[in-house]
Amino acid sequence: MTRPLVSLREILAPAEADGYAVGAFIMCNAETADAIMAAAQQEKSPVIVMLGPKEEPVLGLQNTVQIVSTLAHNYDIPVCLHLDHSRDPAQVQAALEAGFPSVMVDASSRPDEENAQITRRIVELARKTGATVEAEIGFVGFPEMTTEADNTNSNPAESRLTQPAAAEHFVRVTGIDALAVSIGTAHGRNPGRPELDFQRLAEIERRVEVPLVLHGATGRAPDQIRRAIQLGIRKVNVATDLARVFADTMAEALQEGQGFFWHADAIVQVKQRWVALTRRWIEVLGSKCQIVDRGG
Ligand SMILES: [Zn+2]
């Protein structure tokens, strides 16, 4: 049977109850969205398909909602469509209006009070459509990227770790549904701190009721990810790992074809590799076989 796209609340509640994390994988087009869902179906896992600001221009918000909904109907697993890391409140609002069941508003590069105000406004908008909101306090750096919005931060590369008391206050005043924490990871290929700050994570978990989100997981040893999940991480974002496979596949195809490749062949390869990689992540996150067979 068909089912609509679900919000983070619906997809993370069982993860909270059973102590696993749901992977949030970045799509960029219909093919990659399909690969992510196919992998989750094979693993009988719930899945979060994410669209980030870099991917948004590929299809646009409305087309993305329509395409992901249509593709999700082919699978019998819960699928959440989530806007990742939008620093533009107007874009977040547009995503909610387009039918995104979940969004992340990221004002984490701004002072905490301003971050809370911007986030609170988005939560109020989201409540009208039943959508869920993720936000971040502390700052998971983007060492390899410079974006216009990062200019608000004195050093865009540098992460600021999440302060547990500030996190508790932030969740209370904003009413968000999930909190992204900065505990030593970094976005991109930069590995961040060698060891995650598990003590900090445990303290945040003790003070905060909503599910916690880990960004910048690429390159982390599976043991560290599993430990973070034991301590309360319920959503793990995966982007760079997938981007690298996409780029490598194209580069190999170009090399093998001596400067030319047939695009469809390369895209089919990308899909196969994305399915394999997404399945490996699902295994690490513990969401494998969490979907009980509903008997056809
Ligand atoms: Zn992130």
Side-chain angles (χ1 to χ4, degrees), residues 6-224:
V6 303
S7 72
L8 275 190
R9 201 180 307 117
E10 291 160 88
I11 216 160
L12 295 184
E16 282 275 64
D18 294 335
Y20 61 91
V22 181
F25 302 94
I26 203 107
M27 63 172 277
C28 82
N29 54 17
E31 301 90 293
T32 49
D34 194 45
I36 292 164
M37 287 182 255
Q41 177 79 51
Q42 287 171 31
E43 296 295 332
K44 295 186 164 53
S45 166
V47 76
I48 300 160
V49 177
M50 288 194 306
L51 186 81
K54 274 181 184 295
E55 292 73 34
E56 190 270 333
V58 177
L59 287 165
L61 296 168
Q62 285 194 339
N63 284 336
T64 299
V65 170
Q66 287 174 11
I67 288 166
V68 173
S69 310
T70 302
L71 292 170
H73 285 158
N74 297 328
Y75 300 107
D76 192 27
I77 48 167
V79 176
C80 172
L81 175 63
H82 179 77
L83 179 71
D84 188 32
H85 267 298
S86 182
R87 293 194 174 85
D88 175 4
Q91 184 182 48
V92 179
Q93 189 173 348
L96 291 169
E97 285 164 4
F100 271 67
S102 191
V103 292
M104 176 184 188
V105 57
D106 182 3
S108 63
S109 61
R110 297 173 188 269
D112 286 357
E113 279 315 306
E114 206 183 326
N115 182 4
Q117 273 172 21
I118 293 168
T119 303
R120 175 73 223 164
R121 276 202 297 277
I122 296 297
V123 169
E124 282 163 11
L125 285 174
R127 290 291 173 263
K128 292 179 189 162
T129 64
T132 45
V133 179
E134 174 186 341
E136 175 173 323
I137 189 162
F139 183 70
V140 181
F142 287 85
E144 290 154 356
M145 298 178 200
T146 47
T147 68
E148 48 324 323
D150 280 336
N151 294 337
T152 54
N153 196 8
S154 53
N155 183 354
E158 207 170 292
S159 293
R160 276 183 290 110
L161 297 178
T162 302
Q163 303 300 322
E168 183 180 355
H169 176 75
F170 182 73
V171 170
R172 196 172 50 236
V173 300
T174 57
I176 53 169
D177 304 283
L179 178 71
V181 294
S182 178
I183 55 166
T185 56
H187 289 99
R189 285 169 291 160
N190 183 302
R193 293 156 58 110
E195 200 36 41
L196 296 181
D197 193 338
F198 293 118
Q199 214 180 334
R200 183 178 301 272
L201 176 59
E203 179 63 13
I204 298 167
E205 163 65 15
R206 199 178 65 74
R207 288 169 174 257
V208 169
E209 294 284 325
V210 299
L212 303 178
V213 183
L214 187 67
H215 288 239
T218 290
R220 286 282 152 189
D223 281 356
Q224 285 202 23

